[in-house]
Amino acid sequence: MRVLSIVGARPQFIKLGPVLRAFEAYGRGGDAIHNTTLHTGQHYDDEMSAIFFEELELPPPDVNLGVGSGPHGRQTARMLTGIEEVLVTAPPDVAVIYGDTNSTVAGALAAAKLGVPVAHVEAGVRSFNRRMPEELNRVVADRISDLLLAPTATAMDHLAREGLAARAVLTGDVMYDSVLVNSGLAERRSRAAARLDPAPGSYGLVTLHRAENTDDGSRLRALVSSLEAVAEKLLPLHWPLHPRTRAALGRHLPGWTPGPRLRLTAPVGYLDMLMLIKRSRIVLTDSGGVQKEAFFLGVPCVTLRPETEWVETVQAGWNRLVEADPAAVLEAASAFLAGAGAAADSSAGELFGGGRAAERVTAELVRFCRSGSRRRSVA
Ligand code: UD1
Ligand code: UDP
């Protein structure tokens, strides 16, 4: 079986890790899965790309299209051109796409147009906010994919409501598999503690990169004021900055210097990130992946967005959605720090597949390819 794995952005390299390991495990049974990894080049800085291949011991991408950054149309068009060439030259049995980025939708569209079957890992995830580019990417990718590999029961429900149940399978979330495999490794290998000097339990962790939070100057300024308030009044914050956010801060808050308790750093590698989350008292984020990792690692999370795709984390009392308003953010963070969150729940991971998602993804891909993998008509 020949698989083309299409990735391009930081969280996709992380999701690829457990899947490639599961391919290998399956191949030890005698029936090899031949994987080709296509990196679109959407993320390209070493700290946004190469570090994840190294830390997760992923084979280097077989193809890197090097599309780089740009407006959505241009970036996606370059991806389409490059992916199409690869698909025409060496058509796989199935193209596997991950998550919700421009690389996801480009992979889906290029493959579907050529009649190459498409499988979507992390299908059915919805925010119901069509102003988010990610939501458009998800809706389009799911509509034209042939095999929908859903991370949660909630995602399965969304697919059923969109009339896509016949193509959908509940696999669990490969990001939970990844946390299980890598958190021990992070304990042994991460040098975050030495480099950033955060004593365990003494700090909070911030990440922020959503376009809706960074592109609008007044919203970004309100978020920065909120983080400054938490840092000054409650506890020091570590904030590894996404390059989009670094650029946006320069644009919308020129000359701003954070106070000593709001510590900005470059993006960190995955193992450092897992350690930083694990040792923090609270996470403040707009990242989908980081919300889930906080939940998996038993750390309360304040989500700086009006909605979340990962409603299970909110229902469990472990995540609160908060507006970009200093008083609201302070109140939510104070409540968590005072212990008002739910108690750590060891069944958290069961909601996300219990650590067997990549194994199920692999089994479903094999079943799908063996069944003839004819393209369904995409209505
Ligand atoms: C993308 C995804 C988002 C995902 C995020 C993960 C889309 C529409 N968005 O957002 O869903 O959550 O990745 O991190 O696909 N840049 C660099 N170096 C890099 C990469 C980016 O400097 O290696 C800067 C560029 O200025 C670029 C900006 O970051 O314009 C945004 O990058 P882009 O890939 O377009 O979107 P993300 O915000 O990273
Ligand atoms: N991450 C990382 N270093 C960082 C910030 C995030 O390794 O400096 C990891 C994080 O632990 C998670 C993934 O990147 O596994 C989430 O990616 P991101 O927040 O960029 O995107 P999203 O999940 O929102 O799509």
Side-chain angles (χ1 to χ4, degrees):
M1 181 172 118
R2 288 155 305 141
V3 175
L4 181 70
S5 298
I6 301 173
V7 292
R10 171 166 74 185
Q12 294 168 325
F13 313 138
I14 293 162
K15 289 165 197 172
L16 183 64
V19 174
L20 290 193
R21 248 193 317 279
F23 284 2
E24 259 176 51
Y26 182 83
R28 284 196 287 277
D31 198 1
I33 296 176
H34 302 284
N35 178 70
T36 300
T37 300
L38 183 157
H39 185 330
T40 62
Q42 176 169 355
H43 286 176
Y44 44 87
D45 291 342
D46 283 353
E47 60 206 11
M48 295 295 289
S49 176
I51 191 168
F52 299 100
F53 285 84
E54 285 156 24
E55 283 192 340
L56 298 170
E57 298 178 0
L58 299 174
D62 300 281
V63 183
N64 190 326
L65 301 178
V67 301
S69 304
H72 285 268
R74 193 169 69 203
Q75 187 186 54
T76 311
R78 285 183 176 153
M79 291 176 189
L80 279 170
T81 309
I83 297 168
E84 185 174 73
E85 273 173 30
V86 172
L87 288 167
V88 168
T89 311
D93 296 311
V94 61
V96 181
I97 54 169
Y98 293 81
D100 56 16
T101 73
N102 288 348
S103 299
T104 313
V105 78
L109 201 50
K113 287 275 183 81
L114 289 169
V116 172
V118 183
H120 185 194
V121 173
E122 214 179 75
V125 174
R126 296 288 182 269
S127 66
F128 301 102
N129 175 357
R130 293 268 173 117
R131 291 187 310 280
M132 290 177 73
E134 292 85 357
E135 184 74 354
L136 299 173
N137 291 343
R138 294 175 191 129
V139 168
V140 172
D142 283 342
R143 190 76 198 164
I144 62 178
S145 289
D146 301 271
L147 178 61
L148 299 169
L149 302 162
T152 58
T154 308
M156 285 294 282
D157 287 346
H158 297 154
L159 293 169
R161 256 182 255 130
E162 292 174 27
L164 300 173
R167 299 180 220 165
V169 187
L170 177 61
T171 56
D173 193 325
V174 296
M175 285 195 82
Y176 182 57
D177 297 19
S178 181
V179 167
L180 287 185
V181 169
N182 289 299
S183 59
L185 199 63
E187 294 272 358
R188 294 192 294 281
R189 293 213 192 139
S190 164
R191 286 180 294 279
R195 197 151 40 83
L196 303 173
D197 190 35
S202 66
Y203 67 94
L205 181 71
V206 178
T207 79
L208 207 64
H209 74 280
R210 296 265 154 233
E212 60 269 30
N213 278 339
T214 56
D215 290 4
D216 173 345
S218 63
R219 190 168 168 90
L220 181 64
R221 285 189 287 274
L223 285 167
V224 167
S225 300
S226 305
L227 297 173
E228 283 182 319
V230 171
E232 277 158 30
K233 298 204 165 72
L234 299 178
L235 80 178
L237 297 177
H238 283 278
W239 183 2
L241 272 184
H242 189 289
R244 170 191 282 281
T245 314
R246 183 172 291 282
L249 288 173
R251 240 182 5 260
H252 298 304
L253 286 95
W256 172 69
T257 356
R261 281 162 63 93
L262 182 56
R263 298 166 191 161
L264 275 51
T265 66
V268 296
Y270 180 60
L271 298 181
D272 280 354
M273 190 64 185
L274 288 183
M275 280 309 285
L276 284 172
I277 296 174
K278 215 169 172 175
R279 292 176 167 200
S280 63
R281 286 185 66 197
I282 190 163
V283 165
L284 300 107
T285 191
D286 63 3
S287 158
V290 175
Q291 285 175 60
K292 286 186 286 180
E293 287 162 351
F295 181 60
F296 300 151
L297 296 168
V299 180
C301 180
V302 173
T303 292
L304 303 163
R305 283 179 52 195
E307 74 275 310
T308 181
E309 295 78 6
W310 306 105
V311 291
E312 297 80 1
T313 63
V314 176
Q315 287 155 0
W318 215 246
N319 187 3
R320 270 181 70 176
L321 307 177
V322 181
E323 255 312 309
D325 166 59
V329 175
L330 256 182
E331 192 276 319
S334 306
F336 273 134
L337 293 173
D345 180 354
S346 58
S347 68
E350 291 308 314
L351 293 170
F352 289 82
R356 297 185 55 207
E359 189 186 318
R360 293 194 194 102
V361 163
T362 305
E364 288 303 325
L365 288 172
V366 170
R367 186 194 54 74
F368 174 77
C369 288
R370 285 205 178 133
S371 72
S373 67
R374 281 194 323 276
R375 270 204 66 76
R376 291 162 218 263
S377 59
V378 283

